[in-house]
Amino acid sequence: MSAPDIDTQVLVVGAGPVGLMLAGELALGGADVVVLERRTGPLTESRASTLHARTMELLDQRGLLEELGTPPAGGPGHFGGTRLDLTTDSPYSGQWKVPQVRTEELLEGWATRLGARVVKGHRLTDLRTAPHTVEATAEAEPGPGGAASALRVRAAYVVGCDGESSTVRELAGFAFPGRDATRELLRADVADVQVPDRRFERHPGGLAISARGPGGVTRVMVHEYGAPVGREPGPPSFARVADTWRRVTGDDIGGGAPLWLNSFGDALRQASQYRRGRILLAGDAAHHQMPVGGQALNLGLQDAANLGWKLAAEVRGTAGPGLLDSYHAERHPAGRRVLDNIAAQALLLLGGSGTEQVRSLFGELLREPRVRAHLAGTIAGVDVRYAAEPGAHRLVGARVPYLRFGTGADTAEGPGSTFAALRPGRGVLVDLGGRPTPVLAAVAPWRDGRVDVVAATPEPGGAAPEFTSALLRPDGHVAWADGTVPELEAALRRWFGPAARR
């Protein structure tokens, strides 16, 4: 067999936000990574544009927020069309509006600066697995002579980040159980129309949403109760959107200029496995859900943050037994929970008159502080808690609290925060001065580039710390806190591999 065109440790298929986030995480962790993308240029339409609190935290943990700037706030949240205050304990509470093209630009720049290679204009056509490698074949767009050229890539692992119609998932034979859409929301960006802004406006015949955006472009979304899901290939016609809008609202937008059209339904599917040997899935390739409230994009970015450091450790040879399998063990139930949440929202949002009593009850429940906080935490992604050993500190498995350090912090970048300490992409032992000697001695065998140590004091006047010493995973979740030294050593072995020989 002839040599492949590209040899790499990890091939990521799909250069959307999830694939680019994963590529950056892999490269930060020391892996050689290539990203394969069928598009030849950036997006030309407006897709997912809502970033929730947990995603903003992840961007902060990688030092990307300064480059992004302060995005505009996304306004009030909702649960199935009922207004929901998204206040959480995050420093980035609420939701933030960032066009997907900007998110991709930010993440691609970061990943390529770290050494990731992005190959565009190639469509995956074949995957072949061997005991230690996976070989992928991709076709380039036909050249001037009309003939398409093939590209062969050999990698130790392949990750499909190629969306709900994932070619990786199909070629690798992943089961993708669930249900097809029974309800549909039509969407269009339209110029040269004058319609009032509507926020989840319910009419006798359907649901209407409209908002005028930058440049005078109006986004309209409409659902007609009881209408069948369109089966035409590609996006809906503008005539169909305009006719549905007129039937639901009585307004005529047919004279406008459509700039972008699409539709999405309440289909719900999740891969039975996120990993099959050397092939893994992340983002919409692993789970297909209605993109209500921006949760789909954020769920996928959190998949990438969980997987990247683990897969990088695997290809570097520093991972302990079972580390890579923990990706499915952690993210599959997290995804299932979000999908169930979205299914409930879709029923409330697109259900007809038969759901009004349920909507009324939900409106009452959302005025209860504990209910509001619970749903806000789920939508914002800040309540994700991975499994912990019985009796562990209550923070173990949860995301690390944001804590600013005082001027005595011993970090590579000087005084900072728990988030800033994670920017190198390694594990971090944060010690706030309570019990340094045995803890620091225990972590010493892992201070070979796998785990950093930050000795700090909390910033005066800030929130009281929730721990004295804590071991943080590279994705910002707590692996150990204020337990015994043997428990710390067990956590170090589990998440960062065997101790280095002295």
Side-chain angles (χ1 to χ4, degrees):
M1 182 177 293
S2 60
D5 298 286
I6 297 176
D7 245 320
T8 187
Q9 290 176 315
V10 182
L11 173 65
V12 175
V13 180
V18 175
L20 293 170
M21 180 79 174
L22 178 61
E25 292 290 319
L26 286 163
L28 185 65
D32 185 71
V33 56
V34 170
V35 183
L36 194 66
E37 169 57 47
R38 66 184 304 171
R39 286 182 288 147
T40 57
L43 284 172
T44 57
E45 67 268 9
S46 173
R47 293 187 180 178
S49 61
T50 299
L51 300 184
H52 287 303
R54 182 55 184 153
T55 297
M56 293 289 284
E57 292 180 356
L58 293 173
L59 295 177
D60 188 356
Q61 289 169 192
R62 294 300 179 254
L64 293 171
L65 287 187
E66 183 175 344
E67 182 180 349
L68 179 64
T70 303
H78 72 93
F79 187 92
T82 299
R83 188 182 181 112
L84 175 65
D85 176 5
L86 291 177
T87 300
T88 65
D89 65 350
S90 172
Y92 306 106
S93 191
Q95 56 184 353
W96 308 86
K97 301 303 288 185
V98 181
Q100 183 172 328
V101 64
R102 177 65 183 119
T103 302
E104 291 184 4
E105 178 186 56
L106 175 76
L107 294 174
E108 182 173 348
W110 173 59
T112 54
R113 287 194 301 271
L114 291 169
R117 292 171 284 169
V118 180
V119 180
K120 297 185 177 181
H122 287 77
R123 177 175 59 89
L124 182 72
T125 57
D126 189 45
L127 283 176
R128 296 181 183 274
T129 58
H132 302 293
T133 59
V134 182
E135 188 169 291
T137 303
E139 287 188 1
E141 294 297 320
S149 60
L151 175 73
R152 289 176 50 239
V153 183
R154 183 170 58 201
Y157 289 89
V158 172
V159 187
C161 299
D162 50 342
E164 60 192 45
S165 301
S166 170
T167 302
V168 172
R169 187 183 66 230
E170 180 180 349
L171 291 174
F174 284 82
F176 200 47
R179 66 165 190 263
D180 292 331
T182 59
R183 301 178 180 89
E184 183 180 37
L185 195 65
L186 306 178
R187 178 165 57 176
D189 286 348
V190 188
D192 304 325
V193 293
Q194 296 291 333
V195 296
D197 283 359
R198 293 177 165 94
R199 180 175 170 82
F200 304 110
E201 191 174 274
R202 298 179 73 80
H203 295 258
L207 172 77
I209 305 163
S210 57
R212 194 171 181 84
V217 175
T218 299
R219 170 162 292 182
V220 299
M221 292 187 279
V222 61
H223 168 70
E224 187 173 15
Y225 301 143
V229 175
R231 300 300 179 190
E232 69 267 28
S237 67
F238 183 55
R240 182 177 169 220
V241 176
D243 288 347
T244 304
W245 184 264
R246 177 181 47 78
R247 287 195 299 271
V248 170
T249 69
D251 291 344
D252 184 7
I253 61 171
L259 304 178
W260 178 55
L261 298 155
N262 87 334
S263 64
F264 53 87
D266 61 348
L268 199 71
R269 294 186 177 275
Q270 185 180 29
S272 299
Q273 303 164 279
Y274 283 13
R275 177 190 179 194
R276 294 193 67 188
R278 294 184 173 274
I279 302 177
L280 302 99
L281 303 175
D284 286 350
H287 37 76
H288 178 196
Q289 59 287 305
M290 185 176 178
V292 58
Q295 284 179 270
L297 169 64
N298 292 269
L299 179 63
L301 291 172
Q302 291 157 36
D303 289 343
N306 183 285
L307 174 59
W309 66 277
K310 296 175 181 178
L311 186 52
E314 186 73 25
V315 299
R316 289 198 326 265
T318 61
L323 179 65
L324 193 53
D325 286 331
S326 74
Y327 168 61
H328 169 89
E330 292 184 337
R331 292 308 298 169
H332 193 275
R336 183 74 255 167
R337 185 165 179 255
V338 172
L339 264 61
D340 289 345
N341 175 286
I342 290 175
Q345 290 197 62
L347 182 61
L348 291 172
L349 187 65
L350 304 182
S353 59
T355 64
E356 291 306 321
Q357 292 85 354
V358 178
R359 291 177 57 81
S360 177
L361 177 61
F362 250 94
E364 294 179 21
L365 290 173
L366 290 179
R367 290 194 287 271
E368 294 292 327
R370 290 181 63 185
V371 175
R372 186 214 64 78
H374 173 82
L375 291 177
T378 301
I379 290 172
V382 299
D383 71 340
V384 173
R385 181 181 295 272
Y386 301 133
E389 294 294 326
H393 190 282
R394 62 183 181 81
L395 286 178
V396 175
R399 80 195 212 287
V400 61
Y402 181 76
L403 178 67
R404 287 195 59 80
F405 302 144
T407 56
D410 177 19
T411 68
E413 300 179 2
S417 66
T418 46
F419 289 4
L422 290 160
R423 288 178 185 169
R426 297 185 285 269
V428 181
L429 180 80
V430 177
D431 185 82
L432 302 180
R435 40 190 295 200
T437 304
V439 167
L440 295 185
V443 79
W446 286 267
R447 296 185 69 177
D448 57 356
R450 289 177 287 172
V451 178
D452 296 333
V453 170
V454 173
T457 56
E459 184 178 57
E466 300 179 53
F467 61 86
T468 301
S469 298
L471 177 65
L472 313 184
R473 302 177 355 175
D475 58 359
H477 282 259
V478 179
W480 169 92
D482 291 347
T484 67
V485 169
E487 289 168 344
L488 170 60
E489 292 172 334
L492 286 160
R493 287 191 295 270
R494 178 183 182 188
W495 298 113
F496 301 104
R501 293 183 179 179
R502 299 184 183 181

